[in-house]
mmCIF file with all atom_site columns, all heavy atoms in Angstrom:
data_model
loop_
_atom_site.group_PDB
_atom_site.id
_atom_site.type_symbol
_atom_site.label_atom_id
_atom_site.label_alt_id
_atom_site.label_comp_id
_atom_site.label_asym_id
_atom_site.label_entity_id
_atom_site.label_seq_id
_atom_site.pdbx_PDB_ins_code
_atom_site.Cartn_x
_atom_site.Cartn_y
_atom_site.Cartn_z
_atom_site.occupancy
_atom_site.B_iso_or_equiv
_atom_site.pdbx_formal_charge
_atom_site.auth_seq_id
_atom_site.auth_comp_id
_atom_site.auth_asym_id
_atom_site.auth_atom_id
_atom_site.pdbx_PDB_model_num
ATOM 1   N N   . TRP A 1 115 ? 1.614   16.746 20.479 1.00 0.00 ? 115 TRP A N   1
ATOM 2   C CA  . TRP A 1 115 ? 0.558   16.180 21.322 1.00 0.00 ? 115 TRP A CA  1
ATOM 3   C C   . TRP A 1 115 ? 0.690   16.632 22.771 1.00 0.00 ? 115 TRP A C   1
ATOM 4   O O   . TRP A 1 115 ? -0.309  16.954 23.431 1.00 0.00 ? 115 TRP A O   1
ATOM 5   C CB  . TRP A 1 115 ? 0.621   14.666 21.207 1.00 0.00 ? 115 TRP A CB  1
ATOM 6   C CG  . TRP A 1 115 ? -0.171  13.889 22.204 1.00 0.00 ? 115 TRP A CG  1
ATOM 7   C CD1 . TRP A 1 115 ? -1.525  13.736 22.248 1.00 0.00 ? 115 TRP A CD1 1
ATOM 8   C CD2 . TRP A 1 115 ? 0.353   13.129 23.297 1.00 0.00 ? 115 TRP A CD2 1
ATOM 9   N NE1 . TRP A 1 115 ? -1.883  12.920 23.294 1.00 0.00 ? 115 TRP A NE1 1
ATOM 10  C CE2 . TRP A 1 115 ? -0.746  12.530 23.962 1.00 0.00 ? 115 TRP A CE2 1
ATOM 11  C CE3 . TRP A 1 115 ? 1.637   12.876 23.773 1.00 0.00 ? 115 TRP A CE3 1
ATOM 12  C CZ2 . TRP A 1 115 ? -0.588  11.718 25.080 1.00 0.00 ? 115 TRP A CZ2 1
ATOM 13  C CZ3 . TRP A 1 115 ? 1.802   12.062 24.877 1.00 0.00 ? 115 TRP A CZ3 1
ATOM 14  C CH2 . TRP A 1 115 ? 0.698   11.502 25.531 1.00 0.00 ? 115 TRP A CH2 1
ATOM 15  N N   . GLN A 1 116 ? 1.904   16.685 23.265 1.00 0.00 ? 116 GLN A N   1
ATOM 16  C CA  . GLN A 1 116 ? 2.125   17.059 24.657 1.00 0.00 ? 116 GLN A CA  1
ATOM 17  C C   . GLN A 1 116 ? 1.714   18.494 24.952 1.00 0.00 ? 116 GLN A C   1
ATOM 18  O O   . GLN A 1 116 ? 1.389   18.835 26.096 1.00 0.00 ? 116 GLN A O   1
ATOM 19  C CB  . GLN A 1 116 ? 3.600   16.855 25.029 1.00 0.00 ? 116 GLN A CB  1
ATOM 20  C CG  . GLN A 1 116 ? 3.983   15.394 25.161 1.00 0.00 ? 116 GLN A CG  1
ATOM 21  C CD  . GLN A 1 116 ? 5.461   15.195 25.436 1.00 0.00 ? 116 GLN A CD  1
ATOM 22  O OE1 . GLN A 1 116 ? 6.295   15.981 24.987 1.00 0.00 ? 116 GLN A OE1 1
ATOM 23  N NE2 . GLN A 1 116 ? 5.795   14.148 26.170 1.00 0.00 ? 116 GLN A NE2 1
ATOM 24  N N   . GLU A 1 117 ? 1.688   19.343 23.923 1.00 0.00 ? 117 GLU A N   1
ATOM 25  C CA  . GLU A 1 117 ? 1.336   20.745 24.103 1.00 0.00 ? 117 GLU A CA  1
ATOM 26  C C   . GLU A 1 117 ? -0.147  21.018 23.891 1.00 0.00 ? 117 GLU A C   1
ATOM 27  O O   . GLU A 1 117 ? -0.611  22.152 24.068 1.00 0.00 ? 117 GLU A O   1
ATOM 28  C CB  . GLU A 1 117 ? 2.161   21.620 23.143 1.00 0.00 ? 117 GLU A CB  1
ATOM 29  C CG  . GLU A 1 117 ? 3.663   21.554 23.382 1.00 0.00 ? 117 GLU A CG  1
ATOM 30  C CD  . GLU A 1 117 ? 4.043   22.022 24.783 1.00 0.00 ? 117 GLU A CD  1
ATOM 31  O OE1 . GLU A 1 117 ? 3.457   23.023 25.257 1.00 0.00 ? 117 GLU A OE1 1
ATOM 32  O OE2 . GLU A 1 117 ? 4.897   21.369 25.418 1.00 0.00 ? 117 GLU A OE2 1
ATOM 33  N N   . LEU A 1 118 ? -0.908  20.013 23.482 1.00 0.00 ? 118 LEU A N   1
ATOM 34  C CA  . LEU A 1 118 ? -2.343  20.211 23.257 1.00 0.00 ? 118 LEU A CA  1
ATOM 35  C C   . LEU A 1 118 ? -3.089  20.384 24.571 1.00 0.00 ? 118 LEU A C   1
ATOM 36  O O   . LEU A 1 118 ? -2.656  19.920 25.619 1.00 0.00 ? 118 LEU A O   1
ATOM 37  C CB  . LEU A 1 118 ? -2.924  19.007 22.499 1.00 0.00 ? 118 LEU A CB  1
ATOM 38  C CG  . LEU A 1 118 ? -2.471  18.789 21.045 1.00 0.00 ? 118 LEU A CG  1
ATOM 39  C CD1 . LEU A 1 118 ? -3.048  17.487 20.513 1.00 0.00 ? 118 LEU A CD1 1
ATOM 40  C CD2 . LEU A 1 118 ? -2.888  19.959 20.151 1.00 0.00 ? 118 LEU A CD2 1
ATOM 41  N N   . GLY A 1 119 ? -4.237  21.046 24.488 1.00 0.00 ? 119 GLY A N   1
ATOM 42  C CA  . GLY A 1 119 ? -5.105  21.166 25.652 1.00 0.00 ? 119 GLY A CA  1
ATOM 43  C C   . GLY A 1 119 ? -5.697  19.812 26.022 1.00 0.00 ? 119 GLY A C   1
ATOM 44  O O   . GLY A 1 119 ? -5.633  18.856 25.244 1.00 0.00 ? 119 GLY A O   1
ATOM 45  N N   . THR A 1 120 ? -6.322  19.746 27.163 1.00 0.00 ? 120 THR A N   1
ATOM 46  C CA  . THR A 1 120 ? -6.798  18.478 27.711 1.00 0.00 ? 120 THR A CA  1
ATOM 47  C C   . THR A 1 120 ? -7.745  17.742 26.765 1.00 0.00 ? 120 THR A C   1
ATOM 48  O O   . THR A 1 120 ? -7.601  16.532 26.531 1.00 0.00 ? 120 THR A O   1
ATOM 49  C CB  . THR A 1 120 ? -7.504  18.714 29.056 1.00 0.00 ? 120 THR A CB  1
ATOM 50  O OG1 . THR A 1 120 ? -6.601  19.373 29.944 1.00 0.00 ? 120 THR A OG1 1
ATOM 51  C CG2 . THR A 1 120 ? -7.955  17.398 29.663 1.00 0.00 ? 120 THR A CG2 1
ATOM 52  N N   . VAL A 1 121 ? -8.715  18.450 26.195 1.00 0.00 ? 121 VAL A N   1
ATOM 53  C CA  . VAL A 1 121 ? -9.714  17.808 25.332 1.00 0.00 ? 121 VAL A CA  1
ATOM 54  C C   . VAL A 1 121 ? -9.083  17.299 24.050 1.00 0.00 ? 121 VAL A C   1
ATOM 55  O O   . VAL A 1 121 ? -9.268  16.138 23.662 1.00 0.00 ? 121 VAL A O   1
ATOM 56  C CB  . VAL A 1 121 ? -10.872 18.778 25.024 1.00 0.00 ? 121 VAL A CB  1
ATOM 57  C CG1 . VAL A 1 121 ? -11.833 18.150 24.016 1.00 0.00 ? 121 VAL A CG1 1
ATOM 58  C CG2 . VAL A 1 121 ? -11.612 19.145 26.306 1.00 0.00 ? 121 VAL A CG2 1
ATOM 59  N N   . ARG A 1 122 ? -8.313  18.154 23.378 1.00 0.00 ? 122 ARG A N   1
ATOM 60  C CA  . ARG A 1 122 ? -7.709  17.754 22.108 1.00 0.00 ? 122 ARG A CA  1
ATOM 61  C C   . ARG A 1 122 ? -6.641  16.684 22.318 1.00 0.00 ? 122 ARG A C   1
ATOM 62  O O   . ARG A 1 122 ? -6.456  15.802 21.471 1.00 0.00 ? 122 ARG A O   1
ATOM 63  C CB  . ARG A 1 122 ? -7.106  18.967 21.397 1.00 0.00 ? 122 ARG A CB  1
ATOM 64  C CG  . ARG A 1 122 ? -8.147  19.968 20.910 1.00 0.00 ? 122 ARG A CG  1
ATOM 65  C CD  . ARG A 1 122 ? -7.543  20.951 19.936 1.00 0.00 ? 122 ARG A CD  1
ATOM 66  N NE  . ARG A 1 122 ? -7.058  20.285 18.745 1.00 0.00 ? 122 ARG A NE  1
ATOM 67  C CZ  . ARG A 1 122 ? -6.032  20.739 18.010 1.00 0.00 ? 122 ARG A CZ  1
ATOM 68  N NH1 . ARG A 1 122 ? -5.382  21.833 18.375 1.00 0.00 ? 122 ARG A NH1 1
ATOM 69  N NH2 . ARG A 1 122 ? -5.662  20.092 16.934 1.00 0.00 ? 122 ARG A NH2 1
ATOM 70  N N   . LYS A 1 123 ? -5.960  16.747 23.437 1.00 0.00 ? 123 LYS A N   1
ATOM 71  C CA  . LYS A 1 123 ? -4.945  15.725 23.733 1.00 0.00 ? 123 LYS A CA  1
ATOM 72  C C   . LYS A 1 123 ? -5.595  14.360 23.891 1.00 0.00 ? 123 LYS A C   1
ATOM 73  O O   . LYS A 1 123 ? -5.047  13.335 23.472 1.00 0.00 ? 123 LYS A O   1
ATOM 74  C CB  . LYS A 1 123 ? -4.180  16.109 25.000 1.00 0.00 ? 123 LYS A CB  1
ATOM 75  C CG  . LYS A 1 123 ? -2.972  15.236 25.274 1.00 0.00 ? 123 LYS A CG  1
ATOM 76  C CD  . LYS A 1 123 ? -2.179  15.760 26.467 1.00 0.00 ? 123 LYS A CD  1
ATOM 77  C CE  . LYS A 1 123 ? -0.915  14.940 26.691 1.00 0.00 ? 123 LYS A CE  1
ATOM 78  N NZ  . LYS A 1 123 ? -0.126  15.433 27.840 1.00 0.00 ? 123 LYS A NZ  1
ATOM 79  N N   . ALA A 1 124 ? -6.776  14.337 24.472 1.00 0.00 ? 124 ALA A N   1
ATOM 80  C CA  . ALA A 1 124 ? -7.469  13.069 24.716 1.00 0.00 ? 124 ALA A CA  1
ATOM 81  C C   . ALA A 1 124 ? -7.961  12.414 23.428 1.00 0.00 ? 124 ALA A C   1
ATOM 82  O O   . ALA A 1 124 ? -8.080  11.176 23.364 1.00 0.00 ? 124 ALA A O   1
ATOM 83  C CB  . ALA A 1 124 ? -8.651  13.300 25.649 1.00 0.00 ? 124 ALA A CB  1
ATOM 84  N N   . ILE A 1 125 ? -8.257  13.202 22.390 1.00 0.00 ? 125 ILE A N   1
ATOM 85  C CA  . ILE A 1 125 ? -8.787  12.621 21.154 1.00 0.00 ? 125 ILE A CA  1
ATOM 86  C C   . ILE A 1 125 ? -7.710  12.360 20.105 1.00 0.00 ? 125 ILE A C   1
ATOM 87  O O   . ILE A 1 125 ? -7.961  11.682 19.114 1.00 0.00 ? 125 ILE A O   1
ATOM 88  C CB  . ILE A 1 125 ? -9.894  13.503 20.539 1.00 0.00 ? 125 ILE A CB  1
ATOM 89  C CG1 . ILE A 1 125 ? -9.319  14.841 20.041 1.00 0.00 ? 125 ILE A CG1 1
ATOM 90  C CG2 . ILE A 1 125 ? -11.036 13.725 21.512 1.00 0.00 ? 125 ILE A CG2 1
ATOM 91  C CD1 . ILE A 1 125 ? -10.297 15.651 19.200 1.00 0.00 ? 125 ILE A CD1 1
ATOM 92  N N   . PHE A 1 126 ? -6.497  12.894 20.307 1.00 0.00 ? 126 PHE A N   1
ATOM 93  C CA  . PHE A 1 126 ? -5.446  12.753 19.305 1.00 0.00 ? 126 PHE A CA  1
ATOM 94  C C   . PHE A 1 126 ? -5.070  11.277 19.117 1.00 0.00 ? 126 PHE A C   1
ATOM 95  O O   . PHE A 1 126 ? -4.998  10.513 20.067 1.00 0.00 ? 126 PHE A O   1
ATOM 96  C CB  . PHE A 1 126 ? -4.207  13.552 19.705 1.00 0.00 ? 126 PHE A CB  1
ATOM 97  C CG  . PHE A 1 126 ? -3.120  13.550 18.657 1.00 0.00 ? 126 PHE A CG  1
ATOM 98  C CD1 . PHE A 1 126 ? -3.138  14.468 17.630 1.00 0.00 ? 126 PHE A CD1 1
ATOM 99  C CD2 . PHE A 1 126 ? -2.087  12.614 18.704 1.00 0.00 ? 126 PHE A CD2 1
ATOM 100 C CE1 . PHE A 1 126 ? -2.147  14.462 16.651 1.00 0.00 ? 126 PHE A CE1 1
ATOM 101 C CE2 . PHE A 1 126 ? -1.093  12.599 17.741 1.00 0.00 ? 126 PHE A CE2 1
ATOM 102 C CZ  . PHE A 1 126 ? -1.126  13.526 16.718 1.00 0.00 ? 126 PHE A CZ  1
ATOM 103 N N   . ARG A 1 127 ? -4.808  10.898 17.848 1.00 0.00 ? 127 ARG A N   1
ATOM 104 C CA  . ARG A 1 127 ? -4.390  9.536  17.522 1.00 0.00 ? 127 ARG A CA  1
ATOM 105 C C   . ARG A 1 127 ? -3.244  9.568  16.508 1.00 0.00 ? 127 ARG A C   1
ATOM 106 O O   . ARG A 1 127 ? -3.218  10.412 15.619 1.00 0.00 ? 127 ARG A O   1
ATOM 107 C CB  . ARG A 1 127 ? -5.554  8.743  16.910 1.00 0.00 ? 127 ARG A CB  1
ATOM 108 C CG  . ARG A 1 127 ? -6.766  8.581  17.820 1.00 0.00 ? 127 ARG A CG  1
ATOM 109 C CD  . ARG A 1 127 ? -6.477  7.625  18.962 1.00 0.00 ? 127 ARG A CD  1
ATOM 110 N NE  . ARG A 1 127 ? -7.640  7.399  19.809 1.00 0.00 ? 127 ARG A NE  1
ATOM 111 C CZ  . ARG A 1 127 ? -7.933  8.112  20.894 1.00 0.00 ? 127 ARG A CZ  1
ATOM 112 N NH1 . ARG A 1 127 ? -7.154  9.126  21.264 1.00 0.00 ? 127 ARG A NH1 1
ATOM 113 N NH2 . ARG A 1 127 ? -9.002  7.822  21.617 1.00 0.00 ? 127 ARG A NH2 1
ATOM 114 N N   . PHE A 1 128 ? -2.329  8.606  16.658 1.00 0.00 ? 128 PHE A N   1
ATOM 115 C CA  . PHE A 1 128 ? -1.245  8.396  15.685 1.00 0.00 ? 128 PHE A CA  1
ATOM 116 C C   . PHE A 1 128 ? -1.413  6.976  15.153 1.00 0.00 ? 128 PHE A C   1
ATOM 117 O O   . PHE A 1 128 ? -1.175  6.004  15.856 1.00 0.00 ? 128 PHE A O   1
ATOM 118 C CB  . PHE A 1 128 ? 0.121   8.558  16.344 1.00 0.00 ? 128 PHE A CB  1
ATOM 119 C CG  . PHE A 1 128 ? 1.285   8.461  15.390 1.00 0.00 ? 128 PHE A CG  1
ATOM 120 C CD1 . PHE A 1 128 ? 1.932   9.613  14.947 1.00 0.00 ? 128 PHE A CD1 1
ATOM 121 C CD2 . PHE A 1 128 ? 1.752   7.228  14.940 1.00 0.00 ? 128 PHE A CD2 1
ATOM 122 C CE1 . PHE A 1 128 ? 3.014   9.529  14.066 1.00 0.00 ? 128 PHE A CE1 1
ATOM 123 C CE2 . PHE A 1 128 ? 2.824   7.136  14.057 1.00 0.00 ? 128 PHE A CE2 1
ATOM 124 C CZ  . PHE A 1 128 ? 3.462   8.297  13.629 1.00 0.00 ? 128 PHE A CZ  1
ATOM 125 N N   . HIS A 1 129 ? -1.846  6.877  13.900 1.00 0.00 ? 129 HIS A N   1
ATOM 126 C CA  . HIS A 1 129 ? -2.131  5.583  13.271 1.00 0.00 ? 129 HIS A CA  1
ATOM 127 C C   . HIS A 1 129 ? -1.012  5.249  12.294 1.00 0.00 ? 129 HIS A C   1
ATOM 128 O O   . HIS A 1 129 ? -0.820  5.932  11.288 1.00 0.00 ? 129 HIS A O   1
ATOM 129 C CB  . HIS A 1 129 ? -3.484  5.658  12.558 1.00 0.00 ? 129 HIS A CB  1
ATOM 130 C CG  . HIS A 1 129 ? -3.858  4.393  11.836 1.00 0.00 ? 129 HIS A CG  1
ATOM 131 N ND1 . HIS A 1 129 ? -4.943  4.339  10.989 1.00 0.00 ? 129 HIS A ND1 1
ATOM 132 C CD2 . HIS A 1 129 ? -3.322  3.145  11.824 1.00 0.00 ? 129 HIS A CD2 1
ATOM 133 C CE1 . HIS A 1 129 ? -5.044  3.128  10.491 1.00 0.00 ? 129 HIS A CE1 1
ATOM 134 N NE2 . HIS A 1 129 ? -4.059  2.388  10.980 1.00 0.00 ? 129 HIS A NE2 1
ATOM 135 N N   . HIS A 1 130 ? -0.285  4.190  12.592 1.00 0.00 ? 130 HIS A N   1
ATOM 136 C CA  . HIS A 1 130 ? 0.827   3.734  11.764 1.00 0.00 ? 130 HIS A CA  1
ATOM 137 C C   . HIS A 1 130 ? 0.362   2.590  10.882 1.00 0.00 ? 130 HIS A C   1
ATOM 138 O O   . HIS A 1 130 ? -0.117  1.558  11.377 1.00 0.00 ? 130 HIS A O   1
ATOM 139 C CB  . HIS A 1 130 ? 1.978   3.288  12.677 1.00 0.00 ? 130 HIS A CB  1
ATOM 140 C CG  . HIS A 1 130 ? 3.150   2.710  11.952 1.00 0.00 ? 130 HIS A CG  1
ATOM 141 N ND1 . HIS A 1 130 ? 3.922   3.438  11.079 1.00 0.00 ? 130 HIS A ND1 1
ATOM 142 C CD2 . HIS A 1 130 ? 3.696   1.463  11.987 1.00 0.00 ? 130 HIS A CD2 1
ATOM 143 C CE1 . HIS A 1 130 ? 4.888   2.678  10.614 1.00 0.00 ? 130 HIS A CE1 1
ATOM 144 N NE2 . HIS A 1 130 ? 4.773   1.463  11.147 1.00 0.00 ? 130 HIS A NE2 1
ATOM 145 N N   . ILE A 1 131 ? 0.504   2.751  9.563  1.00 0.00 ? 131 ILE A N   1
ATOM 146 C CA  . ILE A 1 131 ? 0.031   1.748  8.606  1.00 0.00 ? 131 ILE A CA  1
ATOM 147 C C   . ILE A 1 131 ? 1.217   0.898  8.159  1.00 0.00 ? 131 ILE A C   1
ATOM 148 O O   . ILE A 1 131 ? 2.197   1.414  7.607  1.00 0.00 ? 131 ILE A O   1
ATOM 149 C CB  . ILE A 1 131 ? -0.662  2.404  7.403  1.00 0.00 ? 131 ILE A CB  1
ATOM 150 C CG1 . ILE A 1 131 ? -2.016  3.000  7.825  1.00 0.00 ? 131 ILE A CG1 1
ATOM 151 C CG2 . ILE A 1 131 ? -0.901  1.388  6.297  1.00 0.00 ? 131 ILE A CG2 1
ATOM 152 C CD1 . ILE A 1 131 ? -1.964  4.370  8.431  1.00 0.00 ? 131 ILE A CD1 1
ATOM 153 N N   . SER A 1 132 ? 1.119   -0.407 8.397  1.00 0.00 ? 132 SER A N   1
ATOM 154 C CA  . SER A 1 132 ? 2.224   -1.310 8.103  1.00 0.00 ? 132 SER A CA  1
ATOM 155 C C   . SER A 1 132 ? 1.751   -2.457 7.209  1.00 0.00 ? 132 SER A C   1
ATOM 156 O O   . SER A 1 132 ? 0.704   -2.377 6.582  1.00 0.00 ? 132 SER A O   1
ATOM 157 C CB  . SER A 1 132 ? 2.840   -1.819 9.411  1.00 0.00 ? 132 SER A CB  1
ATOM 158 O OG  . SER A 1 132 ? 4.038   -2.523 9.166  1.00 0.00 ? 132 SER A OG  1
ATOM 159 N N   . THR A 1 133 ? 2.527   -3.527 7.175  1.00 0.00 ? 133 THR A N   1
ATOM 160 C CA  . THR A 1 133 ? 2.323   -4.613 6.217  1.00 0.00 ? 133 THR A CA  1
ATOM 161 C C   . THR A 1 133 ? 2.369   -5.973 6.895  1.00 0.00 ? 133 THR A C   1
ATOM 162 O O   . THR A 1 133 ? 3.009   -6.134 7.946  1.00 0.00 ? 133 THR A O   1
ATOM 163 C CB  . THR A 1 133 ? 3.418   -4.560 5.128  1.00 0.00 ? 133 THR A CB  1
ATOM 164 O OG1 . THR A 1 133 ? 3.352   -5.729 4.312  1.00 0.00 ? 133 THR A OG1 1
ATOM 165 C CG2 . THR A 1 133 ? 4.805   -4.513 5.763  1.00 0.00 ? 133 THR A CG2 1
#
Side-chain angles (χ1 to χ4, degrees):
W115 167 73
Q116 288 176 328
E117 298 300 319
L118 293 175
T120 303
V121 174
R122 292 194 63 209
K123 189 174 184 180
I125 67 169
F126 185 86
R127 299 289 183 269
F128 184 102
H129 178 189
H130 176 64
I131 289 84
S132 189
T133 171

